[in-house]
Amino acid sequence: MPLQLAILASGRGSNAKAIIDAIKAGTLDATIQCVICNVENAGVLDIAQQAGIPAHCIPHAGLKRPVHEAQVLEALSAYEVDYLVLAGYMRLMTPGFLLPFKDDGFYRVVNIHPSLLPAFPGANGYEDAFHYGVKVSGVTVHLVDEALDNGPIILQEAFPRLETDSLEAFKQRGLAIEHQLYPKALQLIADKRLCFRYDSVSERAYVEVKTHATT
Ligand code: GRF
């Protein structure tokens, strides 16, 4: 049974497109049940429509966070969803929103972040890393928990900041990595290769990736 995903996004949707393309190419064994977007006219809505995926626009403007979250959960309840995939979803989520996805102490919610977490959390990962003057940055795919950009890391990939880089060139290098890394991380979930562990020194949950798929 393919992994059943719902994508939450706020913007242009290039990661959503990369996931759709990986499914089409047969490198990701998943289906996208729906796309939910909190911003009217966002590019991701066109991408979903072109791919024939049900898309819901649920604007948050003027709504208290729990009210908006209840509307999103209501829309999601029409679908069978194994994992929520955050792909540029620029909203903080309350623990109440995450609760329906809680499973054995972790949440079936995945996010992609444009830095090597725990460095440069927040809304501007590429900009913050670039202006800090890092020599190496990267991309992180992680499980979501109650804190911002904090949950167990599934995959990370580093890339250099070249001396000649403009911010735009730096971002484009990162984005190309995002588009490979997100489908790859989701396929690890589809293959049941994630083991959930706890490190008593850091007192953090973390993910170990098994070498082989579990049937
Ligand atoms: C990506 O850089 C992602 O890492 C960040 O927001 C951006 C979304 O881009 N969280 P897109 O909408 O997927 O093109």
Side-chain angles (χ1 to χ4, degrees), residues 9 11-16 87-90 111-114 126 175 178-179:
R12 114 198 104 175
S14 69
N15 277 288
Y89 188 58
M90 305 308 276
N111 184 40
I112 188 157
H113 183 77
Y126 286 135
L175 204 56
E178 291 190 37
H179 298 160

Side-chain angles (χ1 to χ4, degrees), residues 118 145 150-153 197-207:
D145 68 8
N150 181 68
I153 292 167
R197 306 271 190 243
Y198 181 76
D199 184 275
S200 56
V201 175
S202 64
E203 299 184 336
R204 279 184 58 89
Y206 72 99
V207 160

Side-chain angles (χ1 to χ4, degrees), residues 59-132:
H60 64 273
L63 298 181
K64 290 222 159 80
R65 195 175 301 278
V67 174
H68 180 252
E69 289 184 339
Q71 291 182 4
V72 173
L73 287 175
E74 167 69 21
L76 285 169
S77 69
Y79 305 95
E80 292 283 328
V81 175
D82 299 319
Y83 270 79
L84 274 191
V85 174
L86 311 184
Y89 188 58
M90 305 308 276
R91 296 282 294 164
L92 294 174
M93 280 161 289
T94 66
F97 179 76
L98 295 173
L99 205 56
F101 301 95
K102 194 160 189 172
D103 206 354
D104 273 348
F106 71 96
Y107 296 101
R108 289 177 287 106
V109 183
V110 200
N111 184 40
I112 188 157
H113 183 77
S115 76
L116 287 177
L117 289 173
F120 307 111
N124 303 302
Y126 286 135
E127 288 81 356
D128 293 346
F130 183 87
H131 291 300
Y132 189 94

